[in-house]
Amino acid sequence: FESMKGHEGGPVALVAEDLLEAVQVDGLKAFISECPEPEVPPDVLTEEYYVSVETVQQPCNPIEVLIAQLLRRPDVSDVLGDVEGAQWSWHDYLDSDAPKAYHTDCNRRLVEYETVRTNPKWSSVVYLTDEGGATMIWRHNAFVAVQPRRGRYLLFPGDLPHGVLYAQEPKQADRIVLSIT
């Protein structure tokens, strides 16, 4: 991992280059193109898939294979610590689309007619294409910008505000990312 530090010193994010082989990226993209939207229980307001640590020991699809691979990497597991599972979703935008508004990742559940929000401990992005704008992440007055690069893995604390900037040179191409929290 390369530590991405803001101008205030401490790491804002970690980036691993070429984490995935090209054939694995192609397999993930093919799976995503055929994958149905997740079924969401009535009390859950966030549309994401969930997989437990036990389930990824015998993965059923390419994304579960990737999550198992990440959890076996000492550099990733040292940062993540103990985890029970992972939520995942994909995002497919044209690189010429408007930027993704700044937000924090959160899970929303409906409990007794009230929305309960929780941030994941960690958020991560797996870039499946080179297209699109940089992902910006803030911590207080520090920030980092991470450009999309096929096979790049970005990991950062789940409560940090982040978003996507305009592409520097839009090509009317898909910006496809896998989000794992």
Side-chain angles (χ1 to χ4, degrees):
F1 273 114
E2 175 188 353
S3 179
M4 305 293 289
K5 297 181 188 247
H7 66 275
E8 292 184 351
V12 174
L14 301 170
V15 175
E17 300 294 341
D18 302 317
L19 182 80
L20 292 84
E21 300 285 330
V23 68
Q24 189 176 13
V25 172
D26 292 341
L28 288 164
K29 286 172 59 178
F31 176 75
I32 287 169
S33 72
E34 300 294 324
C35 189
E37 293 290 326
E39 293 181 23
V40 181
D43 64 335
V44 176
L45 305 175
T46 306
E47 292 183 3
E48 294 182 325
Y49 282 101
Y50 176 82
V51 62
S52 70
V53 171
E54 292 78 28
T55 301
V56 297
Q57 301 311 311
Q58 295 184 324
C60 298
N61 63 59
I63 294 173
E64 291 178 6
V65 169
L66 172 62
I67 292 169
Q69 173 188 341
L70 291 170
L71 293 174
R72 283 192 305 268
R73 285 181 58 119
D75 54 351
V76 174
S77 63
D78 287 350
V79 172
L80 296 180
D82 291 331
V83 297
E84 294 177 11
Q87 287 186 267
W88 60 269
S89 60
W90 67 92
H91 308 276
D92 184 350
Y93 306 101
L94 276 179
D95 64 357
S96 57
D97 286 349
K100 183 152 175 56
Y102 295 101
H103 64 282
T104 58
D105 289 336
C106 68
N107 303 313
R108 294 178 187 92
R109 295 184 81 59
L110 193 58
V111 178
E112 297 179 14
Y113 302 100
E114 296 286 328
T115 302
V116 177
R117 271 181 62 138
T118 57
N119 296 102
K121 185 174 178 183
W122 296 99
S123 293
S124 65
V125 176
V126 179
Y127 296 94
L128 302 179
T129 62
D130 294 329
E131 282 70 40
T135 303
M136 289 287 293
I137 306 162
W138 273 268
R139 174 183 280 150
H140 308 296
N141 292 327
F143 63 90
V144 296
V146 179
Q147 291 293 335
R149 182 169 173 228
R150 183 179 160 102
R152 178 175 278 169
Y153 178 64
L154 167 64
L155 178 65
F156 57 96
D159 62 346
L160 293 184
H162 58 282
V164 178
L165 301 177
Y166 281 103
Q168 291 178 346
E169 297 177 22
K171 302 173 186 150
Q172 297 298 312
D174 286 328
R175 177 188 196 272
I176 304 173
V177 298
L178 178 61
S179 175
I180 305 171
T181 57

